Amino acid sequence: MVTKELLETPCILIDEQVMQSNIGRMADIAARNGVQLRPHIKTHKVPEFALRQLAEGASGITAAKVGEAEMMAAHGIDDIFIAYPIVSPSKIKRIIALAEKIRMIVGVESIEGARNLSQEAARAGITLSVRLEIDTGLARTGVRPDEAVELAKRIAELPGLDLSGIFTFKGAVFEGAGTLDLEAAGQEEGRIMVETAERLRAAGIAIRDVSVGSTPTAPYAAAVEGITEVRPGTYIFYDRMLAVMGACSREDWAAKVLVTVVSVPAEDRLVVDGGSKTFATDVQPGQPPLHLKGFGEIVGHPDAVFEKMNEEHGMIRTQGPHGLHVGDILEIVPNHICSTVNLHNEVFASKDGSIRAIPVLARGKLA
């Protein structure tokens, strides 16, 4: 039997009981608010975990890449939304192939992308469900709410497409800026989307799905009347960023990175065997509104700061003597678990004292 002490570091260890509790709690939130739950699998990228989410009541899953959708479909998942603008002909052909076997929904946010989807769908003789992406304040992809009606009318006229709904991703943003007021962010997200859906319906476009919600905002956006679906992802594991936001407690952390101390150059400094090949660096320390210290929280060592890294080395500094030795194992909760998981070929799941390796089958799907 594999035990924690026998795991080779660096690696990700998942507490299955905590993970299952997280899955059930978000399912309950969706059910209480009468909305569908369509979790984003970008966090775990593991078909087994997606199937658990479906077993707890999720209506389908969300993906960002065609490759992720293909991997999930190959493992029996038959209702997938790609919440990303797919515009290149080769990727659209792959989506059409999936849509001929399972229920596929695809995000659109431009007339050019919609035309490309329309041409391939019409050529294949199918009707492809699409959702129009709305920019509700993140300033990423998506059409502005005041431009949605004009674009939606043009998309609705295209053959081979069924404009079934609208969707957004806003995260912890309120009035265009990052915030720790998750309730205000979620309510704003829901309100903007419901108002946009109403304008589209008034223009004669039959919008059925109004899809919102990252992990921090989903509980609040789900409560806005008129919202039909939430798409949180990180909630299955949670991470340090979400704990600092107030979206979870430390007891909700289901995934931790195990590292080994490989060097102790000073009594207030140590080096571990996890660097940028192990931990994501997309959520940087010191940025508002979170002002995180370091790249992760070292469990059991509150004064330690994971202050820098290169590929193979993680450098940690403490306020005083740390008392750690070469060979000691540390647990670190990264700032962002989603992109950290994407760096690992497998994760290790722990339950009732036993540990098993699970391949991250949908990792690294760039297309």
Side-chain angles (χ1 to χ4, degrees), residues 17-206:
Q17 290 181 313
V18 176
M19 178 182 73
Q20 197 65 39
S21 175
N22 293 343
I23 291 172
R25 188 164 59 252
M26 188 62 75
D28 288 344
I29 289 171
R32 286 199 309 270
N33 286 285
V35 301
Q36 291 186 323
L37 172 63
R38 185 181 289 274
H40 206 308
I41 58 85
K42 70 182 179 66
T43 299
H44 56 75
K45 303 176 181 68
V46 175
E48 176 188 327
F49 295 166
L51 289 168
R52 289 193 189 197
Q53 292 171 309
L54 291 167
E56 286 288 333
S59 61
I61 65 167
T62 305
K65 300 293 186 179
V66 181
E68 293 172 348
E70 289 169 334
M71 182 59 70
M72 293 293 159
H75 286 78
I77 296 172
D78 61 3
D79 192 331
I80 302 175
F81 171 37
I82 298 183
Y84 196 88
I86 305 298
V87 300
S88 61
S90 60
K91 292 180 183 178
I92 293 172
K93 290 181 187 297
R94 291 160 62 193
I95 285 177
I96 297 300
L98 283 172
E100 291 175 333
K101 302 172 186 175
I102 66 171
R103 184 189 184 213
M104 283 295 301
I105 312 167
V106 185
V108 295
E109 58 101 62
S110 69
I111 192 60
E112 294 84 0
R115 285 195 187 114
N116 291 348
L117 288 167
S118 169
Q119 290 170 2
E120 291 297 333
R123 185 176 292 120
I126 68 169
T127 299
L128 182 65
S129 292
V130 297
R131 292 174 175 176
L132 177 61
E133 183 173 10
I134 308 298
D135 178 10
T136 51
L138 189 61
R140 197 171 63 179
T141 49
V143 62
R144 285 178 10 198
D146 60 349
E147 298 174 344
V149 170
E150 179 182 352
L151 179 56
K153 285 181 177 179
R154 298 174 71 187
I155 293 172
E157 294 172 348
L158 294 172
L161 300 185
D162 171 27
L163 180 55
S164 62
I166 57 175
F167 77 103
T168 193
F169 179 86
K170 184 161 80 76
V173 171
F174 178 66
E175 296 182 346
T179 182
L180 295 180
D181 190 339
L182 304 182
E183 183 173 4
Q187 289 178 348
E188 180 187 55
E189 179 179 1
R191 175 183 55 78
I192 293 171
M193 289 295 284
V194 169
E195 290 175 354
T196 303
E198 289 173 348
R199 286 197 297 271
L200 291 169
R201 290 172 186 137
I205 302 164

Side-chain angles (χ1 to χ4, degrees), residues 14-26 44 46 48-50 52-53 56 234-238 251-255 347-351 356 358:
I14 294 167
D15 187 317
E16 289 198 55
Q17 290 181 313
V18 176
M19 178 182 73
Q20 197 65 39
S21 175
N22 293 343
I23 291 172
R25 188 164 59 252
M26 188 62 75
H44 56 75
V46 175
E48 176 188 327
F49 295 166
R52 289 193 189 197
Q53 292 171 309
E56 286 288 333
T234 316
Y235 76 93
I236 190 170
F237 298 148
Y238 288 108
E251 287 71 30
D252 299 323
W253 285 338
V347 295
F348 293 86
S350 172
K351 183 179 180 181
R356 62 192 176 98
I358 302 175

